[in-house]
Amino acid sequence: MPNGKPAGERCVQLKDDNLCRLFGQPSRPKVCLQFRPCADVCGDSSEQAIWRITELEAATSL
Ligand code: SF4
């Protein structure tokens, strides 16, 4: 995604099983490398993580 990932859009590197195609690769974006999962963002389930990240993206998008 050369122009960045727009809020609410699924990353093209995210596989159907929700794992990253670039994990462990040098081409993985720096922002992804720096992200540290935490309960405030991820909650305690995939459903909570999707809901919380969607809310955060909407609140911080231009
Ligand atoms: S870690 Fe980064 S590159 Fe990988 S799927 Fe998530 S947003 Fe995309």
Side-chain angles (χ1 to χ4, degrees), residues 5 11 13-14 20 22 28-29 32:
K5 188 191 82 56
C11 179
Q13 304 299 343
L14 198 56
C20 176
L22 301 180
R28 193 169 180 225
C32 303

Side-chain angles (χ1 to χ4, degrees), residues 1-61:
M1 304 184 92
N3 298 318
K5 188 191 82 56
E9 187 171 317
R10 186 175 172 89
C11 179
V12 296
Q13 304 299 343
L14 198 56
K15 299 188 293 184
D16 289 344
D17 60 3
N18 291 327
L19 296 179
C20 176
R21 285 186 180 83
L22 301 180
F23 192 84
Q25 304 295 319
S27 56
R28 193 169 180 225
K30 186 176 177 183
V31 65
C32 303
L33 289 171
Q34 293 175 331
F35 176 74
R36 294 289 175 260
C38 64
D40 286 349
V41 175
C42 302
D44 55 19
S45 67
S46 295
E47 292 76 18
Q48 283 187 11
I50 290 169
W51 183 84
R52 290 180 183 202
I53 291 171
T54 299
E55 290 289 310
L56 286 169
E57 284 188 331
T60 58
S61 63

